[in-house]
Amino acid sequence: MRVLLTGGAGFIGRHVHTQLTAEGHDVLVLDSLRNDVHAKRPAPSNDLVIGDIRSAEDCQRALSGIDTVIHLAAKVGLGVDLDDIDDYVSSNSLGTAVLLRELARANLRHLVYASSMVIYGEGRYDCDRHGQVAPGPRRPEDLDAGQFDPRCPLCDCPLRPGLISESAPSDPRNAYAASKLNGEHLAASWARETGGRVTALRFHNVYGPGMPRNTPYAGVAAIFRSALERGEAPKVYEDGRQRRDFIHVHDIATAVTTAAGALPHQPPFTAYNVGTDTVRTIGDLAAELARAYEGPDPVVTGQYRLGDVRHITATSAKLRNELGWKPTLDLRTGLADLLASGN
């Protein structure tokens, strides 16, 4: 099939491009090459359209002859600085809206949308007395006192974190999360109105070769790696016990191409969590990276950011069961691949 890959010059996009090509698909990339992501610009090529998804003209240029669109283009990061809130809304929400409008005008009906596990806010929690509960935002006074885990909103007892499923309610806690969820809602509306098919993939924490370096928009794995390459200890916020699921970018790429191939047989809108189903902590990641780079041990700082969630891990059973996808790299093997790649 002929695929338009928005954001295809970025970290995840380059791996998805490689996977699509390996599977025999014809790929065209639409990327704005924004300066906060692309310190080094790719060479011009016939399969790259330099343009902005917020531009109807750029979208129209890229959509000619396309069968399926994989929409990765976005402003990424935590979105905890309100100075960036308008850029998140413009790049992610408005950009997705313009792209969807042009898809409708071009009579295109197949879309894979890159979403994120951050739309859930905090993950699943169970109270021994009250069952499954949804904790509210953590209080600054608790965080200042080193009480990082949320407590039951009904009895103030400790909670047990668990795996969240796609049916869980959304609760975005920052601008990036809100913009990603808005994109899901816009895409679902587009599917209803056009008879299209959308698969939203809620990525967990992605790492691997080509991760962005030395940028505030990088993920925690990239931040830790940059510190180690400077000979510094990774600085771990809170107590390092925040639960996450770290997934190698190659496994993300195969999930994307699997979802794209299944689109003709999917409902109008489907969402899948994409992770390894292996719970690790941010402290685990820092320690594994320090070991791989033979660098200094991580330092737990006790610092926090109000926009962060404590625990978020989801089950990817739906994606495994319905589309037959599964991850292939555990954290240690994946980090060894990152180290061996040198980039």
Side-chain angles (χ1 to χ4, degrees), residues 85-274:
I85 191 169
D86 54 339
D87 197 6
Y88 280 104
V89 172
S90 176
S91 299
N92 300 351
S93 298
L94 177 61
T96 297
V98 173
L99 177 65
L100 291 170
R101 183 188 64 199
E102 297 310 316
L103 285 174
R105 290 176 173 176
N107 202 32
L108 290 170
R109 298 292 181 263
H110 292 157
L111 175 69
V112 176
Y113 171 71
S115 188
S116 173
M117 55 81 190
V118 297
I119 69 158
Y120 296 117
E122 287 285 356
R124 173 180 175 141
Y125 290 90
D126 289 279
C127 173
D128 289 336
R129 291 180 58 190
H130 297 102
Q132 187 174 345
V133 296
R138 295 183 295 170
R139 299 177 299 187
E141 56 267 31
D142 291 337
L143 297 170
D144 288 337
Q147 298 173 8
F148 300 117
D149 284 306
R151 302 179 74 85
C152 177
L154 301 175
C155 66
D156 205 41
C157 289
L159 297 173
R160 288 178 285 105
L163 299 180
I164 202 164
S165 71
E166 290 86 352
S167 62
S170 53
D171 183 20
R173 301 287 178 96
N174 56 54
Y176 172 64
S179 69
K180 288 274 92 177
L181 180 60
N182 183 232
E184 285 197 19
H185 291 164
L186 291 170
S189 175
W190 168 85
R192 285 192 299 270
E193 294 183 21
T194 64
R197 296 288 183 269
V198 177
T199 294
L201 298 177
R202 295 169 180 168
F203 298 157
H204 274 62
N205 298 76
V206 187
Y207 70 95
M211 288 191 305
R213 297 170 182 259
N214 303 316
T215 164
Y217 304 103
V220 66
I223 293 170
F224 289 164
R225 181 183 67 165
S226 293
L228 287 162
E229 289 176 341
R230 296 192 301 268
E232 301 171 3
K235 294 181 179 179
V236 181
Y237 279 19
E238 301 186 16
D239 58 4
R241 296 175 185 170
Q242 306 95 306
R243 290 161 54 106
R244 297 292 188 271
D245 186 346
F246 301 101
I247 181 167
H248 192 278
V249 67
H250 171 73
D251 289 329
I252 288 288
T254 60
V256 171
T257 61
T258 298
L263 274 170
H265 313 291
Q266 291 290 84
F269 180 85
T270 308
Y272 292 111
N273 296 328
V274 188

Side-chain angles (χ1 to χ4, degrees), residues 301-321:
T301 68
Q303 293 174 276
Y304 64 86
R305 292 175 295 203
L306 278 176
D308 287 353
V309 297
R310 176 61 173 173
H311 303 301
I312 176 63
T313 52
T315 172
S316 301
K318 181 181 176 184
L319 179 58
R320 296 173 187 240
N321 295 337

